[in-house]
């Protein structure tokens, strides 16, 4: 269910990084994911990767990406996308094609500059959007999602409202947040945070 997974994940985020090969340009699967992201109103940061490869043609790739956005009905704001030139293999990036690349800070700085902060209500009653599932041998089923409103606390009793049937109460036994590529246990998460919860097996 690739399409469904893409839609669920895109519903959690506030922006996207569109990774495009510096030689090949946008691939067929790029069209599908980009159409979904643009339809949700997301603005993309285009990352032209493998810029150090022989035969890289970043100018052509950017033109192809612009044409793709235009064909998919992008707005004027979405067509004015920032570009990062990167080499994932070397873990380096730059904002200008000929600028020296030392690390990934230009990419991280672009995220801080161009990605809008989440528009959320941290004071309202808790609302959590479950997006996908995982499993842990020690704690069982894990639910990955986004805190849409309010505050989510470890140990709290919450109510799951299923599509049909009676609401179900359960206690959040574990709450995890992301720190880089690591998953760490946390005490609470606020609206806008992406988290992993344990304690419910019926979802």
């Amino acid at each position: 269910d690739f399409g469904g997974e893409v839609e669920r994940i895109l519903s959690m985020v506030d922006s996207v990084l569109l990774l495009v090969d510096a030689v090949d340009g946008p691939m067929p699967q790029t069209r599908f994911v980009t159409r979904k992201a643009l339809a949700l109103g997301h603005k993309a940061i285009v990352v032209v990767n493998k810029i150090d490869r022989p035969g890289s043609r970043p100018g052509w790739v950017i033109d192809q990406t612009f044409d793709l956005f235009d064909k998919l009905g992008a707005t004027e704001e979405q067509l004015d996308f920032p570009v990062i030139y990167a080499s994932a293999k070397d873990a380096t990036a730059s904002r200008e094609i000929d600028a020296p690349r030392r690390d990934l800070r230009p990419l991280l700085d672009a995220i801080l500059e161009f990605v809008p902060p989440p528009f959320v209500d941290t004071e309202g009653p808790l609302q959590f959007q479950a997006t996908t599932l995982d499993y842990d041998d020690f704690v069982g089923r894990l639910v990955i999602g986004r805190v849409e409103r309010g505050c989510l606390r470890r140990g709290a009793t919450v109510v799951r409202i299923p599509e049909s049937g009676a609401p179900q109460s359960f206690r959040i036994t574990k709450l995890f947040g992301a720190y880089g590529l690591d998953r760490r246990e946390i005490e609470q998460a606020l609206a806008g945070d992406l988290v992993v919860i344990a304690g419910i097996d019926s979802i």
Side-chain angles (χ1 to χ4, degrees), residues 83-165:
V83 179
I84 300 293
Y85 304 95
S87 168
K89 182 178 70 174
D90 297 335
T92 59
S94 65
R95 295 284 286 269
E96 304 295 334
I97 184 64
D98 296 323
R101 297 184 312 277
R102 298 183 181 88
D103 54 31
L104 288 175
R105 288 178 197 219
L107 174 59
L108 301 175
D109 289 341
I111 293 171
L112 291 175
E113 181 179 347
F114 295 108
V115 175
F119 182 72
V120 291
D121 176 9
T122 58
E123 302 299 324
L126 173 65
Q127 185 179 47
F128 175 78
Q129 178 189 1
T131 304
T132 189
L133 300 175
D134 200 357
Y135 188 82
D136 183 274
D137 290 334
F138 298 103
V139 297
R141 179 168 291 176
L142 300 173
V143 180
I144 302 168
R146 174 175 165 145
V147 183
E148 292 289 343
R149 186 177 62 211
C151 178
L152 183 63
R153 291 183 176 86
R154 185 171 66 88
T157 299
V158 297
V159 175
R160 173 185 172 235
I161 303 174
E163 187 174 0
S164 61

Side-chain angles (χ1 to χ4, degrees), residues 6-17 33-45 69 74-75 77-79 81 114-116 146:
V6 167
E7 288 184 352
R8 289 193 301 272
I9 291 172
L10 285 175
S11 70
M12 284 200 305
V13 304
D14 300 300
S15 185
V16 294
L17 298 178
V33 178
T34 303
R35 182 190 305 115
K36 298 287 187 184
L38 294 175
L40 287 168
H42 295 325
K43 186 170 179 179
I45 298 173
F69 278 38
T75 64
E77 185 181 10
Q78 289 171 324
L79 286 170
F81 51 81
F114 295 108
V115 175
R146 174 175 165 145

